[in-house]
Amino acid sequence: MRGCLVMLVFVVMFGRLLVVFSNTDTDTVNIGAIMTVKTINGRVSSIAMKAAVDDVNSDPNLLPGKTLNLSIHDANFSGFLSIVGALEYMEADIVAVIGPHSSVMAHVLSNLANELHVPFLSFTALDPSLSPLQYPYFIQTAPNDLYQMTAIAEMISYFGYHEVTAIYTDDDQFRNSIYTLGDELSQKQCKLSYKAPLPPDASLTPQNIHDALVNVRSMESRVVVLNTYSKTGLMVFATAKRLGMMKKGYIWIATTWLSTVLDSTGISSSNASVLQGVLTLRPHIPDSDKKRDFERRWKILSNGSIGLNPYGLYAYDTVWMIARALDKFFNEGGNISFSSDARLTGLKGTQGLNLGALSIFDGGKQLRANLLQTNMSGLTGPVGFNPDQSVIRPSFDIINIVGNQGLALGYWSNYSGLSVQPPETLYAKPSNRSSSNQLLRRVVWPGNTTEKPRGWEFSNNGRPLRIGVPLRVSFKEIVTQVNGSNEIHGFSIDVFLAAIKLIPYPVPYEFVKFGDGHKNPSYTEFVNKVAYNVLDAAVGDIAIITNRTKVVDFTQPYIESGLVVVVPVKKLDSSAWAFLRPFTPLMWTVTAVFFIIIGVVVWILEHRLNDEFRGPPKQQLVTILWFTLSTMFFSHRENTVSTLGRLVLFIWLFVVLIINSSYTASLTSILTVQQLSSPIRGIDSLISTNERIGFQVGSFAENYMIEELNIPKSRLMALGSPQEYAEKLGAGLVAAIVDERPYIDLFLSNNCQFQVVGQEFTKSGWGFAFPKDSPLAVDMSTAILTLSENGELQKIHDYWLKRKTCSTQNSDSDQLQLDSFWGLFLIFGVACALALLIHFCMMIREFSKHYSEQHDDQSSKSGSRSVRKFLSFADEKEEVSKSKLKRKREISMSYVNGRDVDSRNRSNRIQAEFDEE
């Protein structure tokens, strides 16, 4: 392990030069601290820890009968001296160590803590990679940088920025935190686009800072996170001021080092102008009586030499945390004892190294457990640890440097995110991390402006944007190069030029031609040039398809597009039977059948009531046919008298009206528009054939047909120009062309012997391609929408693409199908069925009345005679049936009253006459 190797080297060099504490007083409990006391946090922490030790020793209820003794070892900015201090403490029976000051040494000394079971507690070595699983005896007593980087990422997302540059000191204290920032930004759909590492303080020069900032200035992102030591940070800001990087347009976010400077030393007048508008974070300390009392004591404790900052409060609470853990340790019967490590004393080849002086703290495991079970109220608020060994309720103040003061913009907590309310007031409420609930106060940005900066600018690297344009050899209305010059014009170019004028900032650019000028370039390769940063953008007729959106960002489409099928067609000559074309054969057949049905149904409904539907069979057949045909022209002379007949006829006349109107419109179209026919009706029928298919060179149509439609590549033929389209289609070398709609519209404007069949079978559009997460893509989309809304986009379209178009030529579309009328026929059919059902029910009822009073001997007659009687009744006019029924009732009455024989004879004669009739 790295720590063990360092220790061995040290012991070899220095032997027994260790300063050993006297341990003759068994009532003294020794703890140590390792820090650089000349730093701001070192000075503040030293004062706070000494005050804490005094307060612990003056509390009779804590560690009764024992004295807590603190020894502070000054590392003096040296990792080597930090190791020396740690080894001194390990030989002096120290039970806990506060420190080290930096994460660089924490990685080393944590190995020592693991081996000797001595807890190390630090409130400044906050590297998130110091895992408690790897270093269980290293305890961070302040929120580690995972939470600080999460807070910064949420701030950047809140302000709507997507790319961030990080400047940091390249050591364990800050490097791992920046890696964590990158991870947190990615979860917010942002990215760390550039990292500018600085050498550690010992080897840092002003030129290093200058070179790093020049590189940062050349980047597009203007959001800069500065994570370093306070001395280095102030040097960075001073250099950035000289380089013009503290002006309007920049966003600077400094980590907690800047709030430490603000709280402890203040900001000088010279630094105030440099730091204007910078954002920083400060560990949030809830307000309490304990905190206010300690702040009043601080002036006496420090003699006014330095201001109190949150890390001084964490230092104070860390001492109390150790004292309470020791108090619990002793109350549980624990004793401070150390034992030698047999692995060190018996190690061969270590003569003179005195490794036996390094002893294991026997109660270290229990003391560590007591520390992690801490539950107290300190100067920093509630103090305790989560199961993952992180402190509870991590939170930060968000500060805006204005003048020489820090204005509070709000707070961040791991519980509720960004808020203008203190986190302690939100813990009692349900957590709400929704974007609408995230809020900060208004910021004063660098340049003394409250207008939110855009967050990016074009990189200052001495060159304009490289805008790729395709060198087309066909359909030059889209993109074309003026002969004898480098000027490029066309529909796509004019849309781009009009949009770029609406961008509210200057955009330097130059057009870069893509293609050899002999054939249309591959648009997939064209887009990949943008994805690989060979080009800064691609402008042209670029279809927005799924595969391309995975590697680049597109603007809002500036024209709709989609693949269509074009086929050759032949003219249909005029015919004597042209009047039959409006309907399909099936439609003619069904219509004829229903014309017959209406005649039969109306005859049935009217036969017993209407004299016009009675007479000899031949006359009735003629009546049915005449009535049927005359309804076609609404000229029928027969009147309907039954209610059911009128209802059925009304519905039928409505059906005839619709059919007549549709037939007239279709026949008019057939006779006035040139009719064309083609065996291919659309993409489905094209796929089912084995014919060759043409496509435009460079188009995505080739891959689409192969990959999505499973059309063999052997069936496809690449064509390079509209002339080739016409030639190959006319010669029959290809059965159809598959291409995008805008190209086909231009092609058909000069080639009316071809036509589009079927519908567009893809839906897409054309857009301009930019690298992923390019902010310019968003602004260009806004500009294109503005062009669309003010009508300028349509004017550009009409200028370049509006051409004389051929008339719609599709005989199949003019021919009426049964599918368009089956609903009408269904309604009429149902109406006829219901009318007939009601009619027969009524007729059966009347028939039963007529024959219910017959003699019993008649009821026993054969069923065939009953059927004949019913048919005779159905053919009989209704008035005659009613007259017979009336006479029959008179006979029945005279028979019942017992009239004389003459009357009976008369009745019999009447009955005989009735039977004969």
Side-chain angles (χ1 to χ4, degrees):
M1 292 182 293
R2 179 170 56 179
C4 293
L5 292 175
V6 174
M7 286 190 294
L8 290 174
V9 171
F10 170 76
V11 176
V12 168
M13 294 176 61
F14 293 92
R16 290 295 306 273
L17 294 179
L18 303 177
V19 178
V20 182
F21 285 88
S22 173
N23 197 34
T24 56
D25 187 357
T26 57
D27 294 334
T28 299
V29 181
N30 294 317
I31 63 174
I34 302 173
M35 61 184 59
T36 299
V37 296
K38 294 180 181 179
T39 62
I40 293 176
N41 282 338
R43 293 165 60 191
V44 172
S45 300
S46 298
I47 298 171
M49 288 189 295
K50 292 176 181 178
V53 170
D54 291 341
D55 292 345
V56 167
N57 289 331
S58 62
D59 187 342
N61 298 319
L62 194 65
L63 295 175
K66 296 187 182 295
T67 301
L68 188 66
N69 181 40
L70 171 68
S71 172
I72 299 177
H73 177 85
D74 185 6
N76 196 25
F77 303 98
S78 170
F80 179 76
L81 292 181
S82 296
I83 297 174
V84 170
L87 292 173
E88 288 179 352
Y89 290 152
M90 295 305 100
E91 191 171 340
D93 295 344
I94 295 292
V95 296
V97 177
I98 301 174
H101 186 71
S102 74
S103 298
V104 178
M105 294 314 303
H107 282 276
V108 175
L109 299 182
S110 293
N111 291 290
L112 181 64
N114 287 350
E115 294 296 328
L116 302 182
H117 295 181
V118 176
F120 278 63
L121 300 88
S122 180
F123 46 84
T124 53
L126 303 175
D127 178 3
S129 69
L130 287 164
S131 168
L133 298 177
Q134 183 179 5
Y135 306 118
Y137 282 86
F138 181 79
I139 301 173
Q140 295 169 325
T141 59
N144 73 32
D145 283 349
L146 167 64
Y147 300 108
Q148 183 176 195
M149 296 302 128
T150 302
I152 292 174
E154 293 194 16
M155 289 169 57
I156 291 168
S157 177
Y158 170 79
F159 290 122
Y161 301 127
H162 299 285
E163 294 193 15
V164 180
T165 296
I167 304 174
Y168 61 97
T169 298
D170 193 15
D171 63 18
D172 290 341
Q173 179 77 358
F174 303 103
R175 183 194 311 113
N176 293 330
S177 298
I178 293 301
Y179 292 156
T180 301
L181 175 62
D183 294 339
E184 295 299 318
L185 286 171
S186 65
Q187 296 181 21
K188 304 294 181 182
Q189 285 73 52
C190 307
K191 71 175 182 178
L192 193 58
S193 58
Y194 181 71
K195 296 192 287 286
L198 298 173
D201 279 9
S203 57
L204 181 67
T205 65
Q207 188 62 41
N208 296 141
I209 296 175
H210 180 274
D211 293 344
L213 288 176
V214 169
N215 290 335
V216 169
R217 188 176 59 178
S218 68
M219 300 294 113
E220 286 188 357
S221 174
R222 289 294 179 262
V223 182
V224 186
V225 174
L226 180 57
N227 189 30
T228 185
Y229 299 102
S230 57
K231 178 181 177 181
T232 303
L234 294 175
M235 292 172 61
V236 168
F237 278 123
T239 306
K241 178 72 172 179
R242 291 193 298 270
L243 293 174
M245 298 175 65
M246 301 303 298
K247 63 182 181 181
K248 181 178 179 181
Y250 279 86
I251 301 95
W252 286 88
I253 302 176
T255 50
T256 53
W257 67 265
L258 182 55
S259 64
T260 298
V261 173
L262 176 68
D263 293 336
S264 295
T265 64
I267 297 177
S268 65
S269 57
S270 59
N271 284 332
S273 60
V274 172
L275 298 173
Q276 179 72 24
V278 175
L279 303 180
T280 187
L281 292 91
R282 172 199 291 140
H284 176 68
I285 308 298
D287 194 23
S288 65
D289 292 337
K290 289 183 179 181
K291 176 187 171 184
R292 287 191 293 270
D293 290 342
F294 191 77
E295 287 173 342
R296 286 191 290 269
R297 289 177 57 195
W298 184 257
K299 293 182 180 179
I300 300 174
L301 294 172
S302 64
N303 293 320
S305 61
I306 193 168
L308 178 63
N309 66 50
Y311 293 103
L313 303 177
Y314 281 114
Y316 184 93
D317 282 351
T318 300
V319 173
W320 272 86
M321 190 185 306
I322 295 173
R324 288 179 178 273
L326 285 170
D327 186 60
K328 183 178 180 182
F329 175 78
F330 290 127
N331 290 338
E332 293 174 347
N335 292 308
I336 297 177
S337 62
F338 296 84
S339 58
S340 60
D341 190 341
R343 295 175 299 172
L344 297 178
T345 55
L347 193 64
K348 296 182 179 180
T350 59
Q351 293 83 357
L353 296 183
N354 196 30
L355 295 180
L358 302 177
S359 54
I360 298 174
F361 176 32
D362 296 328
K365 185 176 181 180
Q366 183 58 43
L367 180 60
R368 171 184 172 273
N370 292 349
L371 287 167
L372 295 178
Q373 293 171 7
T374 297
N375 183 14
M376 71 178 197
S377 178
L379 300 184
T380 58
V383 179
F385 294 94
N386 294 311
D388 64 353
Q389 210 164 302
S390 62
V391 296
I392 61 173
R393 297 184 175 181
S395 56
F396 292 89
D397 301 338
I398 300 174
I399 308 298
N400 186 195
I401 304 298
V402 179
N404 60 357
Q405 296 180 339
L407 302 182
L409 299 179
Y411 309 90
W412 177 91
S413 72
N414 196 41
Y415 182 76
S416 56
L418 301 173
S419 173
V420 294
Q421 301 180 40
E424 56 269 21
T425 66
L426 300 175
Y427 290 126
K429 303 176 182 179
S431 177
N432 187 349
R433 300 297 296 269
S434 64
S435 57
S436 60
N437 200 53
Q438 305 300 292
L439 185 64
L440 292 175
R441 298 185 182 92
R442 190 174 65 172
V443 181
V444 178
W445 302 98
N448 198 28
T449 177
T450 56
E451 180 183 354
K452 191 186 79 169
R454 189 169 65 247
W456 67 276
E457 291 181 11
F458 291 105
S459 57
N460 184 20
N461 54 15
R463 65 167 180 82
L465 290 181
R466 298 159 298 181
I467 307 296
V469 293
L471 281 182
R472 296 192 57 87
V473 297
S474 62
F475 300 109
K476 293 189 175 183
E477 294 88 345
I478 308 299
V479 177
T480 184
Q481 180 180 357
V482 178
N483 292 332
S485 71
N486 289 325
E487 293 187 36
I488 299 176
H489 296 291
F491 171 62
S492 296
I493 301 301
D494 282 7
V495 172
F496 172 78
L497 294 176
I500 208 73
K501 291 178 182 178
L502 298 179
I503 301 296
Y505 47 84
V507 181
Y509 66 90
E510 63 180 3
F511 288 130
V512 178
K513 301 166 191 174
F514 179 75
D516 57 13
H518 300 294
K519 64 178 181 179
N520 292 336
S522 167
Y523 279 69
T524 299
E525 294 180 10
F526 190 31
V527 170
N528 286 338
K529 292 289 185 183
V530 178
Y532 299 147
N533 294 320
V534 176
L535 296 172
D536 296 312
V539 170
D541 46 332
I542 308 170
I544 303 173
I545 58 177
T546 303
N547 288 340
R548 294 173 183 173
T549 59
K550 294 177 181 178
V551 296
V552 297
D553 281 346
F554 281 96
T555 61
Q556 173 80 13
Y558 60 88
I559 186 174
E560 292 184 356
S561 181
L563 293 178
V564 294
V565 178
V566 177
V567 297
V569 290
K570 62 180 180 180
K571 183 177 178 180
L572 292 177
D573 297 329
S574 297
S575 169
W577 304 100
F579 68 90
L580 295 176
R581 290 181 188 166
F583 288 167
T584 63
L586 179 61
M587 180 65 183
W588 278 117
T589 302
V590 173
T591 303
V593 169
F594 272 87
F595 266 100
I596 295 174
I597 290 174
I598 182 62
V600 173
V601 170
V602 171
W603 179 84
I604 293 173
L605 297 175
E606 295 289 321
H607 180 68
R608 300 189 71 241
L609 299 173
N610 195 337
D611 289 336
E612 294 182 352
F613 289 89
R614 299 185 63 80
K618 183 177 180 180
Q619 179 183 345
Q620 294 186 48
L621 179 61
V622 172
T623 300
I624 291 173
L625 293 176
W626 171 252
F627 178 83
T628 295
L629 296 175
S630 62
T631 57
M632 183 185 302
F633 309 103
F634 307 99
S635 60
H636 50 284
R637 58 182 175 81
E638 294 81 6
N639 293 321
T640 52
V641 297
S642 69
T643 302
L644 292 175
R646 290 175 177 177
L647 177 63
V648 169
L649 183 60
F650 173 79
I651 296 175
W652 173 247
L653 291 178
F654 176 75
V655 173
V656 170
L657 175 65
I658 299 300
I659 293 176
N660 277 347
S661 301
S662 302
Y663 176 86
T664 303
S666 180
L667 183 60
T668 301
S669 175
I670 289 172
L671 296 178
T672 57
V673 178
Q674 183 186 31
Q675 291 302 296
L676 303 172
S677 67
S678 171
I680 296 174
R681 299 293 184 264
I683 187 61
D684 292 331
S685 59
L686 179 60
I687 294 173
S688 64
T689 68
N690 291 320
E691 301 289 342
R692 306 261 340 241
I693 305 170
F695 66 92
Q696 185 181 172
V697 173
S699 171
F700 77 94
E702 178 183 16
N703 287 337
Y704 182 86
M705 287 188 285
I706 294 173
E707 296 174 3
E708 301 296 332
L709 304 182
N710 297 317
I711 297 175
K713 189 173 183 179
S714 59
R715 288 183 58 191
L716 304 181
M717 179 183 294
L719 304 176
S721 66
Q723 292 75 22
E724 277 197 84
Y725 284 12
E727 177 185 340
K728 302 300 182 184
L729 283 171
L733 297 179
V734 294
I737 299 291
V738 173
D739 205 349
E740 294 179 76
R741 188 83 202 206
Y743 302 126
I744 295 304
D745 288 343
L746 289 171
F747 171 67
L748 293 181
S749 65
N750 297 316
N751 296 274
C752 290
Q753 67 273 32
F754 308 104
Q755 74 173 26
V756 173
V757 291
Q759 303 295 321
E760 291 183 9
F761 56 92
T762 67
K763 291 292 184 182
S764 62
W766 291 352
F768 304 140
F770 290 86
K772 274 289 186 182
D773 301 319
S774 171
L776 185 56
V778 178
D779 292 342
M780 284 294 289
S781 292
T782 303
I784 290 172
L785 287 174
T786 302
L787 291 175
S788 177
E789 292 170 358
N790 62 23
E792 187 65 25
L793 186 60
Q794 186 63 43
K795 292 179 182 177
I796 298 173
H797 175 275
D798 293 345
Y799 179 80
W800 286 102
L801 302 183
K802 190 172 184 179
R803 298 288 187 272
K804 175 181 70 69
T805 58
C806 302
S807 300
T808 302
Q809 301 166 347
N810 192 337
S811 61
D812 290 343
S813 64
D814 293 328
Q815 199 169 38
L816 300 175
Q817 308 285 334
L818 178 61
D819 292 345
S820 303
F821 298 93
W822 72 268
L824 281 174
F825 288 132
L826 177 64
I827 293 172
F828 175 69
V830 171
C832 288
L834 289 176
L836 290 175
L837 179 63
I838 295 172
H839 175 74
F840 282 120
C841 289
M842 294 174 62
M843 194 163 58
I844 291 171
R845 180 172 174 271
E846 291 179 8
F847 176 75
S848 63
K849 287 181 180 180
H850 277 279
Y851 293 96
S852 61
E853 299 176 7
Q854 291 186 4
H855 299 295
D856 293 339
D857 59 335
Q858 293 177 337
S859 63
S860 62
K861 293 181 181 180
S862 65
S864 61
R865 183 173 181 182
S866 298
V867 173
R868 287 196 301 271
K869 285 185 177 182
F870 176 77
L871 293 177
S872 176
F873 176 79
D875 185 56
E876 189 176 59
K877 193 172 180 180
E878 186 175 1
E879 293 178 357
V880 175
S881 298
K882 289 181 178 179
S883 176
K884 289 181 178 181
L885 180 61
K886 182 178 180 181
R887 292 166 60 188
K888 183 177 179 180
R889 286 177 177 173
E890 290 176 355
I891 294 172
S892 299
M893 290 295 296
S894 62
Y895 179 79
V896 172
N897 294 330
R899 292 184 177 183
D900 55 16
V901 175
D902 293 338
S903 296
R904 288 197 296 272
N905 292 336
R906 182 170 174 268
S907 297
N908 290 334
R909 287 197 301 271
I910 293 173
Q911 181 64 45
E913 291 176 0
F914 178 82
D915 293 339
E916 290 177 359
E917 291 178 358

